[in-house]
Amino acid sequence: MVARAVEASTVAGTSRQAWDMLRDAQTEVRSTQSLKLEQRQALLANLQEGFENEKQKREGTDRLRRENAVAVESWVAAAEAQARSSTDWRATREVLKNAQQQVRGSDLRREDREGFLNRMRVAFELVNSRQDTARHEYERECAVNAGALRAEISNVVYEAGTSSNFSWTFSHLRTVQQRLKDTGSLTRQDRDALFDALNKGFEILADRRRDYHEGQRRLRVAQERERRRSEWEIRKRERVRGLEGAIYRLQESIRRDLDHKEDLYRQKDRIRPGRRSAEIHAQLNRKAEDVGNRIWSKQEKLGDMEKSLRDLTAEQFR
């Protein structure tokens, strides 16, 4: 009984279970009247040794848990420091979650674990609070920036519709546009609305400039188009002549290949039966096949060239 209790205590799931097993065995030994004094003392000594072993295990476990607490402290302290200073909220929450996992995954004394988890809860609340404050400050700054830019864009759009100095007004529009791009604190809705308003200024200025230069531009466009048409027609005639010449040369090459192929067939028909007649016959067949393949390839290329010529002839200047 005592031996079983001592052995079972060494494999018990928890220290408390092991201690209870030993204590139950000790109570049973003391209450058993049939034991002799020497037997009782021996059994109690054996149980006492089990108590001592369990006590040493408890002390070792406690020491290990204290060492674990020192290691976990570094994780928690680093997470708390980042929670107090960082504005990268997503990364900070990841650091806090990792530290929290270290707490939950480490063998710690109950009071240490509860203390660490409480500190992590406070750190999470601090991050949430700081993020809320930052969001409110950001929204306030966005409102101020949007109001200032809205007034400036209103003025420059008015200039775009009234000023006769197109270059200066365009430069002013670009300056305001760059200022809008460089302003970081704006909500997406305000930024989109301000860009839309500013783009209207660009459109107004572009329309007025186009109307102002319409007469001269039409003349320049007509002259340029006529010059390009003349150059295009010259290039087209040259390309047509070049393509027609290439087609003629390819047709001649095909004709020569057809003559050559026909000549090979005539040579094959003139072969007299003999020792090498089969070999010569096979050679001529291979040559005729090679020439046929070459003719097919050239005819395919000729078809592409003729199609290109038709397309080129039908092409109109645009």
Side-chain angles (χ1 to χ4, degrees):
M1 173 190 65
V2 172
R4 288 199 303 271
V6 172
E7 182 180 359
S9 68
T10 62
V11 296
T14 64
S15 177
R16 179 178 295 277
Q17 290 174 343
W19 198 268
D20 289 343
M21 289 179 183
L22 292 170
R23 188 173 55 190
D24 291 344
Q26 186 184 58
T27 300
E28 188 171 352
V29 169
R30 289 174 175 172
S31 62
T32 303
Q33 301 297 326
S34 59
L35 291 174
K36 295 180 180 181
L37 178 61
E38 294 81 3
Q39 292 177 325
R40 189 187 310 279
Q41 290 175 345
L43 292 174
L44 290 175
N46 195 7
L47 287 170
Q48 186 60 36
E49 184 179 350
F51 279 116
E52 292 297 328
N53 290 337
E54 186 58 32
K55 182 178 179 182
Q56 291 177 5
K57 285 172 57 178
R58 284 189 175 185
E59 291 174 351
T61 299
D62 188 67
R63 183 169 55 255
L64 178 60
R65 288 175 176 174
R66 290 179 184 275
E67 293 173 356
N68 290 343
V70 173
V72 171
E73 171 64 29
S74 64
W75 282 82
V76 173
E80 287 176 325
Q82 185 157 343
R84 288 191 297 269
S85 60
S86 176
T87 56
D88 187 343
W89 312 116
R90 177 174 297 181
T92 300
R93 283 190 171 85
E94 286 301 317
V95 170
L96 291 174
K97 288 178 182 178
N98 290 336
Q100 192 176 59
Q101 289 174 358
Q102 287 294 322
V103 174
R104 290 173 174 169
S106 299
D107 186 12
L108 299 168
R109 295 182 303 170
R110 177 181 296 179
E111 58 269 25
D112 289 336
R113 184 187 308 280
E114 291 176 353
F116 285 139
L117 290 176
N118 185 61
R119 288 167 62 184
M120 296 310 305
R121 179 184 59 77
V122 172
F124 274 112
E125 292 174 353
L126 175 61
V127 171
N128 293 336
S129 176
R130 291 182 62 237
Q131 186 176 11
D132 288 341
T133 300
R135 184 184 300 110
H136 294 325
E137 177 61 23
Y138 175 77
E139 291 172 352
R140 186 196 65 78
E141 187 177 352
C142 286
V144 172
N145 290 338
L149 285 167
R150 194 174 293 112
E152 190 169 8
I153 289 173
S154 178
N155 290 334
V156 75
V157 170
Y158 176 79
E159 291 176 6
T162 57
S163 175
S164 59
N165 191 336
F166 298 139
S167 297
W168 184 90
T169 302
F170 181 77
S171 177
H172 193 185
L173 284 166
R174 291 295 301 273
T175 299
V176 177
Q177 184 185 58
Q178 189 60 50
R179 187 173 296 119
L180 175 55
K181 290 179 179 179
D182 293 340
T183 301
S185 297
L186 280 175
T187 64
R188 177 176 297 181
Q189 182 178 0
D190 283 340
R191 189 182 300 277
D192 291 345
L194 291 171
F195 269 116
D196 287 343
L198 188 60
N199 287 337
K200 289 180 181 178
F202 280 105
E203 293 171 3
I204 291 171
L205 183 64
D207 290 343
R208 294 183 63 235
R209 178 184 286 175
R210 184 172 55 253
D211 293 342
Y212 182 77
H213 296 291
E214 187 62 28
Q216 292 184 359
R217 185 169 62 254
R218 284 182 179 179
L219 177 61
R220 288 195 300 271
V221 168
Q223 291 174 341
E224 177 65 15
R225 181 175 177 81
E226 186 60 30
R227 181 188 66 78
R228 289 173 55 222
R229 178 192 292 277
S230 176
E231 293 178 352
W232 178 84
E233 288 177 348
I234 293 173
R235 289 195 302 270
K236 179 179 176 180
R237 286 195 296 270
E238 291 175 350
R239 290 170 61 195
V240 168
R241 286 197 297 268
L243 195 53
E244 287 175 341
I247 289 173
Y248 174 77
R249 290 190 294 273
L250 187 56
Q251 288 172 336
E252 288 296 305
S253 176
I254 293 173
R255 183 185 60 75
R256 289 193 296 271
D257 286 341
L258 289 171
D259 291 343
H260 185 200
K261 184 177 180 182
E262 186 64 28
D263 183 59
L264 290 173
Y265 285 137
R266 285 195 295 270
Q267 291 181 39
K268 187 172 66 172
D269 293 339
R270 292 195 296 269
I271 295 175
R272 295 179 180 181
R275 187 176 63 184
R276 298 187 60 229
S277 61
E279 180 183 350
I280 296 172
H281 194 277
Q283 290 177 352
L284 291 173
N285 278 339
R286 286 194 297 271
K287 289 183 179 180
E289 184 178 357
D290 291 341
V291 174
N293 290 335
R294 190 163 63 244
I295 291 172
W296 179 84
S297 177
K298 290 180 179 180
Q299 287 176 337
E300 188 178 47
K301 183 177 180 181
L302 178 62
D304 293 339
M305 294 172 67
E306 288 174 339
K307 181 179 182 303
S308 296
L309 179 60
R310 290 193 300 271
D311 293 343
L312 180 59
T313 301
E315 186 177 337
Q316 299 293 324
F317 176 76
R318 294 192 295 271

